[in-house]
Amino acid sequence: MKTKHFLSLSAVALVLLACGKPAVPEYHIVWTGITPKGLYAQDDLPGNAPRYCLDSLETLMHSPLQGKTFFWLGSSITFGLTAHGEATADMLAKHNGATCYKEAASGTTIANIPATEEMAAILTQIIGADPSKEDLSFTARIHDLPLDVKPDLFVLQLSTNDSRLPAESIGSISESTDIADFDLATTLGGMEYIMAYVRDNWHCPVLIYTSPFLNDDQYMAMLDNAYKVADKWNGFILDLTTDSVFNAVGHENFDLYMAPDGIHPTRAGYQLWWLPRFEERIAEILQ
């Protein structure tokens, strides 16, 4: 396992004895594996104003997610590329007094394929790692998450980066449930490997989440198959892609909630728009 990088974002429990107030629940955010160099885009967006930062978010005194542990595996949306690295995992941990392990690297894919020369240069700049020397796929980086920690839920991003790969990279769903049988060079093979790895090592449910606003043919094909993967492995889906109500809210507040690329949320987008939906869905799964 690579050396973990621990963010200094743990809340300090304040005991105000004079007022008789209980301590604020602690939260913890742990970044594992490759730590991005801190290259953030769109710092000047209104949705990244200080009032939307992680420090401004209060911690609930009584949350059904308090004390729970969550593992997150994804790319730039899980990382928070256009939100100063403060994404859903960070917001959820702070708001609920939970612990989130965050394995997120921008520009990476579920499918394990060699990076093109152009993409390798971009990844080197963003991540500070040489893709020719280190495999950055989801199926490689899942091994950076600790085996001696038992999460209550594993959260997997259906990466938008996979939708930019050749169509044949989607692959197909296997009839097997043996972790050695999956084609890691495909998105679906990688997803099944992750489901099997979670089953074999952590024995917890898996939630696959998708991105809003995306309606290109390849991502929709990935989404359709993600439902089939979840059904096969008894997993769960948070489908933000076809949630018309959720998407309408995003469109109404686009300038505040999203970066101009229409893919990456701002701090405000994660905190005000995404966080409540994730909290609702996760509470349903764990109840």
Side-chain angles (χ1 to χ4, degrees):
M1 183 184 299
K2 303 181 184 70
T3 301
K4 302 186 186 103
H5 174 72
F6 291 80
L7 290 185
S8 57
L9 295 176
S10 295
V12 177
L14 301 176
V15 183
L16 302 178
L17 297 177
C19 300
K21 293 183 179 180
V24 177
E26 292 187 2
Y27 75 96
H28 304 276
I29 302 167
V30 183
W31 286 21
T32 65
I34 298 169
T35 301
K37 295 167 61 177
L39 177 64
Y40 306 111
Q42 310 294 336
D43 287 357
D44 58 347
L45 292 175
N48 284 332
R51 65 179 174 275
Y52 302 117
C53 73
L54 187 69
D55 288 343
S56 72
L57 185 63
E58 293 186 359
T59 301
L60 298 173
M61 295 302 297
H62 303 285
S63 165
L65 306 184
Q66 182 178 321
K68 302 293 186 183
T69 298
F70 305 99
F71 283 0
W72 298 71
L73 178 61
S75 51
S76 58
I77 291 174
T78 298
F79 168 52
L81 180 65
T82 58
H84 295 266
E86 298 176 357
T88 313
D90 311 80
M91 300 289 182
L92 186 138
K94 174 74 182 294
H95 194 227
N96 296 278
T99 296
C100 287
Y101 284 73
K102 183 176 170 182
E103 174 53 54
S106 298
T108 57
T109 55
I110 299 172
N112 185 347
I113 61 170
T116 64
E117 185 175 340
E118 179 182 9
M119 181 53 69
I122 294 172
L123 290 173
T124 300
Q125 181 185 21
I126 292 176
I127 302 169
D130 182 353
S132 68
K133 297 179 181 177
E134 185 153 18
D135 179 13
L136 301 178
S137 69
F138 286 27
T139 55
R141 292 187 294 109
I142 193 173
H143 296 276
D144 297 333
L145 291 162
L147 295 179
D148 59 348
V149 175
K150 300 302 180 185
D152 295 281
L153 180 70
F154 189 100
V155 185
L156 172 65
Q157 177 193 344
L158 186 65
S159 178
T160 59
N161 298 317
D162 283 79
S163 67
R164 301 186 183 97
L165 300 176
E168 59 269 22
S169 296
I170 293 178
S172 60
I173 297 174
S174 170
E175 294 183 359
S176 174
T177 58
D178 189 323
I179 196 168
D181 291 341
F182 306 120
D183 183 359
L184 302 190
T186 68
T187 300
L188 293 175
M191 290 179 69
E192 291 212 78
Y193 177 90
I194 290 166
M195 302 297 278
Y197 190 88
V198 173
R199 174 203 63 192
D200 293 346
N201 291 284
W202 296 304
H203 317 291
C204 70
V206 176
L207 172 64
I208 302 168
Y209 81 89
T210 72
S211 293
F213 299 162
L214 295 178
N215 57 7
D216 65 87
D217 291 343
Q218 186 142 326
Y219 197 76
M220 294 304 293
M222 288 166 51
L223 171 61
D224 180 61
N225 280 288
Y227 272 99
K228 296 175 183 177
V229 169
D231 183 62
K232 173 181 175 179
W233 293 91
N234 297 315
F236 299 87
I237 294 282
L238 176 51
D239 180 0
L240 304 181
T241 308
T242 65
D243 188 331
S244 59
V245 174
F246 185 84
N247 279 265
V249 171
H251 282 298
E252 290 170 5
N253 299 277
F254 187 92
D255 291 341
L256 182 65
Y257 288 174
M258 293 292 289
D261 64 10
I263 296 175
H264 297 91
T266 61
R267 285 165 161 172
Y270 285 118
Q271 182 179 143
L272 304 178
W273 182 32
W274 285 43
L275 178 61
R277 187 70 187 91
F278 273 81
E279 290 175 331
E280 177 185 45
R281 186 71 176 110
I282 291 173
E284 290 173 353
I285 294 170
L286 298 184
Q287 67 181 4

